Structures are given as C-alpha cells and as structure tokens.
Amino acid sequence: MRRWVDGFVERHGPAQSRVTGGAVHLLAADGSTAVLSPLLPLVPGALEPDAVAVLVQHVQKAPSPLVVVLVRRGGYAVGVVREGRLTASKVGSRYVQSRTAAGGWSQQRFARRRDNQAAALLDSVADVVVRLALGDDGRSVETGTCLVTGGDRTLVDQLLAQSRLSDLAAVRAPRHLDVPDPRADVLRAAVDRALAVEVLVTNA
C-alpha cells in the first residue's frame, strides 16, 4: 500500500491526504486524486497527520473470521477466511430459471416455478452458511465476524432475510462483489477482492 502511494506521488506530485466517507482521499499537486477504500470503513477521529499510515494500520487488522457468500441463479459459494486464509468452503450448483417472455397462464406457471427454484437454492445456501459460519447452536456469530456478499443482490438480500441468518446479516460489510456463477476459483478470487483495498484514481 505504501509503495503504491509512493508511486502515485512520484507520478503526480506531493499529495494531501484526508479521511472522508470511510476512505482515504489523496489530492496530488497536479490535481489528480485517488480514493483508497478498505473493506471496513475508517472511522474519522484523532487521525495521524499521514492518513495513509492510518489506513495501513487499519488493514493489517483484517476481520476474522471473514465470511464470503456468493449467490447467483447458477449456484452458490460460501467461504470462511481466518487470518487471510480460506479455511472452510462449499460450492454448489442449482438452476433457477430466467424470466420468460411468454404471457398468460404460461407466464404465471414459469414465475411460480422460478420462485420455487429460487427458494430451494436459498434454503441450500442458508444450510451451508449455518454449518460453516455460525456457532454450534446454528445462530451465534463469532466476535469479529464480517460478512462480504457477491452475485445477485436480490437473491442475497432474500437469503439474509431468513431469521436464522439475522445475526450474520447484521455484520454485513458495505462491499458487494460482482461475480460470475460461483465456482471454487471464483470464490478464491472473491476472497482476495474482499480483503483488498479498492483504489479509484482520477487523473487531472
């Protein structure tokens, strides 16, 4: 992180840094900007003069465990990360039919089938989340847990609306990942993205 910031300064000139909206904002001498967003937002307060130093210290304390839940119509992936390592995971596939252009009774029949398929998918995912990410009672969330989601946001929201996942939903991070149909390699890439600091550069 520090090396990246040093490179930004070399290209654009000395930069002022501040914390706004949970992220570090850099404003370089040539007018270029960079926004560095960690998984868990920074809390403004008694910050050091160098906001980047605060960010580096912040990201070294990654949430543990980190639960990653990816859901799309083609399937799901659930992973549990401890100290930066994927320690438990499950990937599964279930088909949820896409919307159809048919009208009348056919459209209603397809809609009911799609709803039933989606419900079956979400029940399967919830079972896996409970088994991998929750305590022996199937409800408690370990202190320090953070949830990162990805895929179809509507399906994910419906999943987390289940009462047995309410405690996990309460520790959901703002970051939501755009992913293809979940597979083992997609889950591993999603873990890396979840733990990364996202950088948005705007050149002057």
Side-chain angles (χ1 to χ4, degrees):
M1 190 80 273
R2 174 62 68 180
R3 287 196 299 271
W4 187 92
V5 172
D6 289 343
F8 177 80
V9 169
E10 289 177 4
R11 294 188 298 273
H12 301 285
Q16 298 176 343
S17 62
R18 58 187 174 87
V19 174
T20 302
V24 170
H25 293 244
L26 302 178
L27 173 61
D30 70 352
S32 298
T33 63
V35 180
L36 287 61
S37 303
L39 170 61
L40 298 180
L42 287 162
V43 178
L47 298 175
E48 300 176 21
D50 184 357
V52 176
V54 176
L55 174 64
V56 171
Q57 184 179 28
H58 178 75
V59 298
Q60 287 175 338
K61 301 175 182 178
S64 184
L66 172 68
V67 180
V68 179
V69 177
L70 312 176
V71 185
R72 290 185 64 86
R73 286 199 302 265
Y76 65 89
V78 179
V80 178
V81 181
R82 295 181 182 274
E83 298 180 355
R85 294 175 50 249
L86 188 63
T87 58
S89 64
K90 171 67 175 176
V91 178
S93 60
R94 270 183 177 270
Y95 176 71
V96 177
Q97 182 175 314
S98 300
R99 293 185 180 276
T100 177
W105 288 106
S106 294
Q107 185 177 20
Q108 296 177 25
R109 185 174 67 253
F110 284 128
R112 286 194 299 271
R113 181 184 301 171
R114 185 174 61 250
D115 290 345
N116 290 338
Q117 291 170 342
L121 167 64
L122 297 181
D123 282 343
S124 295
V125 180
D127 289 343
V128 173
V129 172
V130 167
R131 178 166 57 86
L132 295 185
L134 300 184
D136 294 337
D137 59 2
R139 292 186 61 88
S140 61
V141 174
E142 186 177 337
T143 301
T145 298
C146 177
L147 169 67
V148 174
T149 58
D152 186 316
R153 190 182 291 271
T154 298
L155 286 176
V156 170
D157 290 345
Q158 291 174 352
L159 169 70
L160 296 179
Q162 295 192 22
S163 59
R164 56 178 169 164
L165 300 182
S166 58
D167 288 349
L168 187 61
V171 295
R172 183 181 184 181
R175 183 173 296 177
H176 182 85
L177 305 175
D178 182 16
V179 297
D181 283 345
R183 302 184 304 273
D185 59 332
V186 173
L187 175 60
R188 288 192 295 269
V191 168
D192 291 339
R193 289 174 57 195
L195 293 172
V197 174
E198 294 183 338
V199 179
L200 176 62
V201 175
T202 303
N203 292 316

